[in-house]
Amino acid sequence: MTPQALETLGTRIDEVFLLIGAAILLIELAEVLFKGSHKGRTIAEMLVSASTQIPSIAVQVFILTGAYIIYYILAEVAQPWQIPLTWWGIALAVIAADFTYYWEHRIAHQVRILWTQHAVHHSSRDYNIITGIRFGPLEGVWNLIMHIPLVFLGFSPEMIFFGIIVVLAYQTWIHTEVIGKLGWFDKVMNSPANHRVHHGCDDKYIDMNYGGITVIWDQLFGTYQAEEETPRYGLKRDFDSRNPIKVWFSELPGLWHDVTRARSWGEAWRYMMRPPGWKPSADRGE
């Protein structure tokens, strides 16, 4: 297979999941319009979710497009070997991208400076297909950094980009309540039921089900939780805004407040690098 053919295949896969997502969206809109008692709120929530694409695309165009050249430079000057562009090599690339996504995603929940971006995706009290495109402006930067090690494992930039596209495209259809539990499928693959858990802010659901395509990584690393009762969606803290600017930058004011009032540079650093909600010992009364 040629790099051009792989790029075309990635585009086709993305288009297939986009069509599936569009079909689910039509069903969700029909439910909202004909059965929803809070349809005004739901439509507003969908619109603000879609609005997050404005800063996200701007960053993609003006920063990340050029930054991805790093992959080609590293592949040229520092790649010890290259995995061949065959079907088994492509399958390995998708598995590697999915494994990388698990850790990229998990770390983004545990490091507050990264959470300021990923929290945008979790900030909606509604859960629908449009939630899947609700991104923080700089989430792509962390994605770029986390996938760089795949170059040193021998994957070409084209294979890495293909893996990223497949992992993200797959997740298009899982942001919905239209599809219920899927039996054995839920125990192996990321599914609407599994991802609803991930978006829940209930204590039992917090920081669970990080997987992209499969939940096998969650099973292996102790972060799997099956859906039981319907989750309460959104952030743990009281945040329920449909102001686009507040949604885009929802976590930054709180981080700025804590960092600027830190009692030392070390404390300021820990505010940024420790999990969300971390406080110095003195603040906890210890």
Side-chain angles (χ1 to χ4, degrees):
M1 179 176 286
T2 65
Q4 293 75 21
L6 185 62
E7 181 181 355
T8 300
L9 178 61
T11 301
R12 295 284 167 77
I13 291 172
D14 195 30
E15 289 172 348
V16 167
F17 280 107
L18 183 63
L19 287 174
I20 295 172
I24 293 173
L25 175 60
L26 290 176
I27 295 172
E28 290 180 338
L29 286 174
E31 284 190 344
V32 168
L33 294 175
F34 295 108
K35 298 195 301 183
S37 58
H38 304 288
K39 58 185 175 183
R41 170 205 159 89
T42 301
I43 296 298
E45 198 71 59
M46 286 182 168
L47 290 173
V48 77
S49 291
S51 79
T52 65
Q53 288 293 294
I54 297 171
S56 183
I57 290 173
V59 170
Q60 194 78 26
V61 170
F62 292 108
I63 298 177
L64 292 183
T65 302
Y68 278 109
I69 294 173
I70 295 171
Y71 285 84
Y72 290 96
I73 295 172
L74 290 174
E76 185 68 29
V77 303
Q79 194 170 58
W81 58 78
Q82 191 165 88
I83 295 171
L85 192 54
T86 59
W87 285 110
W88 68 264
I90 293 168
L92 279 179
V94 173
I95 293 170
D98 195 47
F99 180 76
T100 301
Y101 177 84
Y102 171 85
W103 287 106
E104 169 198 338
H105 194 182
R106 184 169 177 173
I107 294 169
H109 276 252
Q110 299 302 320
V111 176
R112 191 176 178 188
I113 189 68
L114 300 176
W115 177 245
T116 63
Q117 299 304 302
H118 189 57
V120 176
H121 185 65
H122 283 266
S123 61
S124 176
R125 293 293 181 199
D126 287 349
Y127 187 75
N128 51 60
I129 206 72
I130 302 298
T131 309
I133 62 170
R134 188 177 179 122
F135 296 128
L138 298 174
E139 276 202 82
V141 175
W142 179 232
N143 177 277
L144 180 151
I145 293 169
M146 279 294 291
H147 286 83
I148 286 176
L150 298 188
V151 176
F152 302 110
L153 292 178
F155 295 103
S156 68
E158 292 83 6
M159 294 169 78
I160 297 171
F161 300 152
F162 177 80
I164 292 172
I165 288 170
V166 171
V167 172
L168 294 180
Y170 175 87
Q171 294 179 69
T172 303
W173 74 286
I174 61 177
H175 293 85
T176 185
E177 293 185 299
V178 169
I179 301 171
K181 295 184 180 181
L182 298 175
W184 66 265
F185 188 87
D186 291 335
K187 298 183 183 302
V188 179
M189 304 297 289
N190 200 6
S191 64
N194 285 330
H195 206 60
R196 286 194 291 269
V197 166
H198 181 69
H199 277 258
C201 62
D202 313 272
D203 289 341
K204 69 189 297 183
Y205 291 154
I206 287 284
D207 295 336
M208 292 292 180
N209 298 1
Y210 294 110
I213 294 176
T214 177
V215 290
I216 290 175
W217 314 123
D218 290 290
Q219 301 272 15
L220 286 175
F221 299 112
T223 55
Y224 180 72
Q225 170 64 52
E227 184 182 47
E228 295 172 356
E229 62 272 8
T230 301
R232 178 176 182 263
Y233 305 113
L235 301 176
K236 187 73 173 176
R237 68 183 180 88
D238 184 21
F239 181 84
D240 190 17
S241 175
R242 278 160 292 286
N243 179 320
I245 303 301
K246 288 184 178 180
V247 170
W248 298 353
F249 307 109
S250 60
E251 297 299 300
L252 288 174
L255 178 60
W256 176 257
H257 175 275
D258 289 340
V259 167
T260 55
R261 285 160 179 77
R263 292 165 291 194
S264 67
W265 287 106
E267 186 174 290
W269 175 256
R270 288 191 290 275
Y271 269 123
M272 291 189 292
M273 303 307 293
R274 294 289 180 88
W278 176 85
K279 297 291 183 183
S281 297
D283 290 351
R284 297 198 299 263
E286 297 177 2

